[in-house]
Amino acid sequence: MPYVNKPRPYKKEYEQQKARGEHERRMERQRGRRSIDKTGVDANGNGRADKREGKDVAHVKALDKGGLNKNGLRIESASKNRSFRRDSQNNLVSETSKRERKK
């Protein structure tokens, strides 16, 4: 078990994330989610747009491939949005899912 005898170094982990560029990519995804929540209808008042309940925000051009929120967003199910091939560093390899390749 990690960190049994000492506290977890959250500050160090955060600095490492920023150095790897993970922080900026995470913030870009968060800005996309917030823009959809801002424009969508929220009937139950939980802070999420109703059309996004249980779904993911997908980018028309993936952020890993150089896309931006300006290029367009769409709502997709989690299974459809997360089914792309990735390399060992979790970077997107192909924007065509296994399901689409079989067709």
Side-chain angles (χ1 to χ4, degrees), residues 43-81:
N44 58 3
N46 68 347
R48 284 187 178 174
D50 291 338
K51 66 179 181 176
R52 193 172 82 82
E53 298 274 335
K55 306 230 184 232
D56 281 357
V57 174
H59 293 79
V60 173
K61 183 174 182 182
L63 295 176
D64 284 353
K65 296 291 185 180
L68 298 170
N69 288 331
K70 293 181 257 182
N71 297 352
L73 302 169
R74 62 179 169 236
I75 306 296
E76 287 184 345
S77 67
S79 63
K80 187 172 182 185
N81 189 36

Side-chain angles (χ1 to χ4, degrees), residues 11-27:
K11 187 173 184 178
K12 180 183 175 191
E13 289 177 9
Y14 180 64
E15 293 301 324
Q16 289 174 336
Q17 286 175 359
K18 287 199 307 189
R20 288 189 300 254
E22 291 176 15
H23 177 73
E24 187 54 41
R25 290 194 301 258
R26 180 168 36 101
M27 298 316 289

